[in-house]
Amino acid sequence: MNYKPTDSPTTKCSVCVLGQFCLPVGLSSADVIRVDTLVKERVQLQKGESLYRHGDPLSSVFSVRFGTLKTEYCLQDGRQQVIGFHLPGEILGLDGIGDGHYQSDAIALEDSEVCIIRYEAFEDLACQIPALQNQFHKIMSRELTQDQRHLLSLGTMRAEERLAAFLLSLSQRLAARGYLNNEFDLRMSRVEIGSYLGIQIETVSRMLSRFAESGLIQIKQRHIKLIDMDGLYELAGVPNPDRQSCSAETPIKQI
Amino acid sequence: MNYKPTDSPTTKCSVCVLGQFCLPVGLSSADVIRVDTLVKERVQLQKGESLYRHGDPLSSVFSVRFGTLKTEYCLQDGRQQVIGFHLPGEILGLDGIGDGHYQSDAIALEDSEVCIIRYEAFEDLACQIPALQNQFHKIMSRELTQDQRHLLSLGTMRAEERLAAFLLSLSQRLAARGYLNNEFDLRMSRVEIGSYLGIQIETVSRMLSRFAESGLIQIKQRHIKLIDMDGLYELAGVPNPDRQSCSAETPIKQI
DNA sequence: CGCTTTATTGAGAGATATCAATACTTGTGG
DNA sequence: CCACAAGTATTGATATCTCTCAATAAAGCG
């Protein structure tokens, strides 16, 4: 293991503000208290530190308490790619369940804190609390869906569209956690964004500059303001979910 | 629903040859008999028929009994992409658990048969049979890993490499099911391969021709022979797992 | 303040897409 | 059984997007 757990029994799921995004969603308060017993430890990570490495045996899954992490995969020839960015309340380590070893590397993008959920204990409890099992399945399923949308982005979209979709997806996830949806700090470098989107850093930079020129965003370093959300959504190929849709009046495509 | 279930009580998990790839892996024979009760129905699909459509409410997950299916996602603007191909023993519909609606379309590539697993009943039983719950988690986790490797392919590999990796992955999955690993029929069209790999059909065709010219494969229509597996593995950026590795003699990369 | 890392911008090269023509398969109906 | 049509695949020529290489600028860090 690369981390050193810190026991901090004062903070528990039952009093954690992230309850509505994390594992305990949909549980009765009595059941959440039983979940408290699962999360005995947390770990502090400094920027750049790894939570686990590919090949490490799976002992736990993790939930981000604060901060941001990335997961990345390596190819034998040394190429590697960022596969996901992980915000508070999101679960990490699920790729290790399949064969008992993590498949990816998880690395903190900023100083972060992560809850440690012993996986064996979790499975035992999930058998006893159907709502907990159900929530876990939902989490895994959404993770699948997110990866599959990411596949769609890498498979069918041009660089510009991928970047717009990425910014909007980040915006939505931040908004769901109570942050501003139109102004935030990018915790990841241009290199990491490019890796995640399957494009080169120079292209990321050019596209961001182009977005800024055309008034879609304002960007200074890693601080970004989304100015024209509708324009970004149009680029990303989806309608703006926040906007009153006029789609009833749009011509209907006959098949 | 787009399918018409056919009740066929004679075939059960407990006697199904796919047991070693499917849901009942790791279960005692007594427990497999309890799983039998989950799978009361099967459905026959003709080539081109859909098992479910995106937006359909989730009622079941599915396991391929024979045949091949594809799943694909749609973008609002009409673009779509094949996200996965599904062989016997693989589970479909997992992307519907997250919000209770399937996110993808599942379509048969050839005449196929699929087992219907009522999802609610499954969750109930999974709470009672820890090994069943554990196996389900492993299946979802492997699905995640597979999608993430696919992301790696779309994000970092060139067309040639993607195609080699695709052929080898198919070969491995077929071999695991007892088929030949070096000679098989592609059940999917060039268009579907291209969509899956994020490249155009013309490029797929050109790359296949190039592989054939350089003696890596022989291909006639959809029938393919993998001639030089090592060469393909090299293209795909991974060592051939079947081959006695000489890697101990390869120079060690210093970090 | 200087060094290292990170990001921006430009010019040219390369891989794949697009457009177009042709060939091959498969299925249908005469 | 053959002819035709519709779908599918191959191959070539050109266009386009993104990568690569290179130089510069800005920011973070000791």
Side-chain angles (χ1 to χ4, degrees):
Chain A
M1 278 301 162
N2 304 289
Y3 56 77
K4 10 180 191 0
T6 50
D7 204 75
S8 51
T10 51
T11 39
K12 299 179 174 178
C13 293
S14 47
V15 298
C16 178
V17 293
L18 289 170
Q20 56 184 125
F21 311 109
C22 196
L23 212 47
V25 173
L27 268 62
S28 69
S29 40
D31 284 338
V32 176
I33 288 170
R34 299 175 72 188
V35 174
D36 282 347
T37 64
L38 279 183
V39 186
K40 294 205 184 114
E41 298 172 313
R42 294 201 173 72
V43 55
Q44 309 275 343
L45 294 168
Q46 293 192 307
K47 181 175 176 172
E49 267 190 299
S50 68
L51 179 61
Y52 55 80
R53 292 280 179 183
H54 70 276
D56 287 353
L58 169 96
S59 56
S60 309
V61 295
F62 308 91
S63 140
V64 182
R65 193 162 152 72
F66 61 77
T68 313
L69 289 90
K70 67 175 174 182
T71 44
E72 51 188 13
Y73 270 56
C74 296
L75 239 56
Q76 254 87 356
D77 63 8
R79 278 183 290 189
Q80 59 179 40
Q81 184 179 349
V82 175
I83 294 296
F85 297 112
H86 304 272
L87 304 182
E90 295 181 338
I91 307 290
L92 280 140
L94 299 174
D95 60 24
I97 298 171
D99 82 341
H101 300 267
Y102 302 108
Q103 305 292 309
S104 57
D105 295 338
I107 295 162
L109 293 180
E110 59 183 323
D111 293 357
S112 304
E113 188 173 289
V114 173
C115 301
I116 301 174
I117 303 160
R118 296 280 156 205
Y119 182 63
E120 272 194 27
F122 166 75
E123 281 208 336
D124 288 346
L125 192 61
C127 281
Q128 295 167 39
I129 308 178
L132 178 63
Q133 188 204 54
N134 180 252
Q135 172 60 9
F136 185 68
H137 292 172
K138 284 182 176 173
I139 287 170
M140 288 199 95
S141 173
R142 291 198 192 106
E143 184 83 14
L144 261 177
T145 298
Q146 189 169 319
D147 285 346
Q148 292 177 352
R149 297 207 174 282
H150 191 188
L151 277 173
L152 201 56
S153 163
L154 298 198
T156 68
M157 290 182 170
R158 289 173 308 121
E160 195 177 49
E161 301 172 314
R162 293 184 203 182
L163 190 58
F166 167 69
L167 293 175
L168 290 169
S169 151
L170 208 52
S171 157
Q172 287 173 352
R173 287 158 69 194
L174 289 168
R177 284 162 183 76
Y179 297 100
L180 287 174
N181 74 335
N182 62 347
E183 182 168 0
F184 47 88
D185 285 309
L186 298 169
R187 300 301 185 179
M188 60 294 289
S189 69
R190 303 287 194 268
V191 174
E192 285 157 343
I193 294 174
S195 172
Y196 179 76
L197 296 177
I199 55 187
Q200 294 304 115
I201 172 179
E202 294 95 331
T203 305
V204 174
S205 204
R206 273 185 254 272
M207 296 299 154
L208 284 174
S209 302
R210 186 188 295 180
F211 285 2
E213 270 175 44
S214 45
L216 291 168
I217 65 170
Q218 283 174 14
I219 188 157
K220 186 175 183 186
Q221 289 301 114
R222 297 193 180 182
H223 188 81
I224 189 164
K225 283 190 206 178
L226 309 186
I227 307 292
D228 179 3
M229 295 284 253
D230 289 341
L232 285 170
Y233 273 107
E234 197 174 337
L235 262 183
V238 293
N240 184 344
D242 294 337
R243 195 159 180 273
Q244 285 302 24
S245 170
C246 309
S247 59
E249 297 177 26
T250 56
I252 292 158
K253 194 189 297 174
Q254 295 294 339
I255 301 170
Chain B
M1 277 300 161
N2 305 288
Y3 55 77
K4 7 179 192 1
T6 49
D7 203 75
S8 51
T10 49
T11 38
K12 300 181 173 178
C13 294
S14 48
V15 297
C16 178
V17 293
L18 289 169
Q20 55 184 124
F21 311 109
C22 195
L23 211 47
V25 173
L27 268 61
S28 70
S29 40
D31 284 339
V32 177
I33 288 170
R34 298 175 71 188
V35 174
D36 283 346
T37 65
L38 280 182
V39 186
K40 294 205 184 113
E41 297 172 316
R42 293 201 173 75
V43 53
Q44 309 274 343
L45 294 168
Q46 293 191 309
K47 181 174 177 173
E49 267 189 299
S50 67
L51 178 61
Y52 55 81
R53 292 280 179 184
H54 70 277
D56 288 352
L58 169 95
S59 55
S60 310
V61 296
F62 308 92
S63 142
V64 182
R65 195 163 150 71
F66 61 77
T68 314
L69 288 89
K70 66 174 174 181
T71 44
E72 52 188 13
Y73 270 55
C74 296
L75 239 53
Q76 255 84 357
D77 64 8
R79 278 182 290 188
Q80 59 179 40
Q81 185 179 349
V82 175
I83 294 297
F85 297 112
H86 304 272
L87 304 183
E90 295 181 337
I91 307 290
L92 279 140
L94 300 173
D95 61 24
I97 297 171
D99 82 342
H101 299 267
Y102 302 109
Q103 305 292 309
S104 57
D105 294 338
I107 296 162
L109 293 180
E110 58 182 323
D111 293 357
S112 304
E113 188 173 288
V114 174
C115 301
I116 302 174
I117 303 161
R118 296 281 155 205
Y119 182 63
E120 273 195 26
F122 165 75
E123 282 209 334
D124 289 346
L125 193 60
C127 280
Q128 295 167 36
I129 307 177
L132 178 64
Q133 189 203 52
N134 179 252
Q135 171 61 9
F136 185 67
H137 292 172
K138 284 183 175 171
I139 287 170
M140 287 199 96
S141 173
R142 290 198 192 106
E143 185 83 16
L144 261 176
T145 298
Q146 189 170 319
D147 285 346
Q148 292 177 351
R149 297 207 173 282
H150 190 189
L151 278 173
L152 202 56
S153 162
L154 298 198
T156 68
M157 290 182 170
R158 289 175 305 121
E160 196 177 49
E161 301 171 314
R162 293 184 204 182
L163 190 57
F166 167 70
L167 293 175
L168 290 169
S169 151
L170 209 51
S171 156
Q172 286 172 352
R173 287 158 70 194
L174 289 168
R177 285 163 181 75
Y179 298 99
L180 286 174
N181 74 335
N182 61 348
E183 182 168 359
F184 47 88
D185 284 309
L186 299 168
R187 300 302 184 179
M188 60 294 289
S189 70
R190 304 287 194 268
V191 174
E192 285 157 343
I193 295 173
S195 173
Y196 179 76
L197 296 177
I199 55 186
Q200 294 304 114
I201 171 179
E202 294 94 330
T203 305
V204 174
S205 203
R206 272 185 254 272
M207 295 300 154
L208 284 174
S209 303
R210 186 189 296 180
F211 285 3
E213 268 174 45
S214 44
L216 290 167
I217 65 170
Q218 282 174 14
I219 188 158
K220 186 174 181 187
Q221 289 299 115
R222 297 191 179 183
H223 189 82
I224 188 166
K225 282 190 206 180
L226 308 186
I227 307 292
D228 178 4
M229 294 285 251
D230 290 341
L232 285 170
Y233 272 108
E234 197 174 337
L235 262 184
V238 292
N240 183 344
D242 294 336
R243 195 159 179 272
Q244 285 302 26
S245 170
C246 308
S247 59
E249 296 177 27
T250 56
I252 291 158
K253 195 189 296 176
Q254 295 294 339
I255 302 172

